[in-house]
Amino acid sequence: MKNLDSLWMAHEQLLVTKLSGDVTIPDIEKWETSLYKALDAIGDGGQFKILVDLFGFSAINVDAHKRYREIIPRTLADYGWRVGYLDMFQEANGLLLTSKRGIRCVAAAHVHQDATKIEKYQSLYGTEWEQFFTDPLQAREWIAQLAV
């Protein structure tokens, strides 16, 4: 079953975005649109936390994988956030962080089912404000308790 949705929860200052199932490039584009709509709902000068839930995500081919993999890092850079795992990629060294409409991302939780990858990311890039999970509920609990 596919999930291609994003939701802004103003009362928690939390944006939850989910991409799961066997997805195509049109699916990824639909998900990306939902992410931008949710970000548009955040008031100018605001702050937000994000839960990026990719549990159950599988790109149907290499092109779909390439299309999705830049969306979160590039989008969060527009809100002053550098995703920790970008340190693995030399080409990401020049990524410019900005503050679109004065909005800033202040924390991120990432979820994926690949335990080997997530354990590596957590050990290398996990911080007080960014964590990596294989369990969506644990990720939700962690990010919810962070004060913005």
Side-chain angles (χ1 to χ4, degrees):
M1 184 171 182
K2 293 180 186 180
N3 191 329
L4 314 168
D5 297 319
S6 301
L7 176 65
W8 168 240
M9 295 183 286
H11 63 286
E12 295 182 57
Q13 293 180 282
L14 178 63
L15 191 157
V16 176
T17 187
K18 295 182 181 185
L19 178 63
S20 64
D22 295 332
V23 298
T24 63
I25 289 176
D27 292 332
I28 292 164
E29 290 168 349
K30 182 179 177 185
W31 166 70
E32 183 178 24
T33 298
S34 80
L35 175 61
Y36 295 154
K37 282 180 86 170
L39 286 162
D40 287 345
I42 301 171
D44 291 358
Q47 295 183 335
F48 70 97
K49 304 177 286 188
I50 189 167
L51 171 57
V52 181
D53 186 348
L54 303 177
F55 193 87
F57 165 76
S58 179
I60 65 151
N61 58 34
V62 172
D63 289 334
H65 183 81
K66 287 179 182 178
R67 176 71 179 93
Y68 112 87
R69 73 177 175 198
E70 293 181 359
I71 294 170
I72 290 298
R74 183 176 30 85
T75 300
L76 292 183
D78 289 341
Y79 297 93
W81 187 265
R82 180 179 169 83
V83 176
Y85 59 74
L86 287 180
D87 290 345
M88 292 188 301
F89 307 103
Q90 190 173 31
E91 62 270 19
N93 288 345
L95 182 67
L96 180 63
L97 301 183
T98 61
S99 183
K100 192 174 193 176
R101 297 182 13 245
I103 299 169
R104 293 193 42 83
C105 178
V106 297
H110 307 271
V111 183
H112 193 277
Q113 69 274 4
D114 184 338
T116 302
K117 177 168 64 173
I118 290 300
E119 288 169 8
K120 177 183 177 182
Y121 287 6
Q122 180 61 23
S123 70
L124 295 174
Y125 311 113
T127 68
E128 179 181 0
W129 299 103
E130 183 172 35
Q131 298 282 306
F132 300 86
F133 299 87
T134 55
D135 182 332
L137 293 176
Q138 286 180 342
R140 178 72 168 89
E141 289 172 3
W142 177 79
I143 197 101
Q145 58 85 31
L146 291 177
V148 175

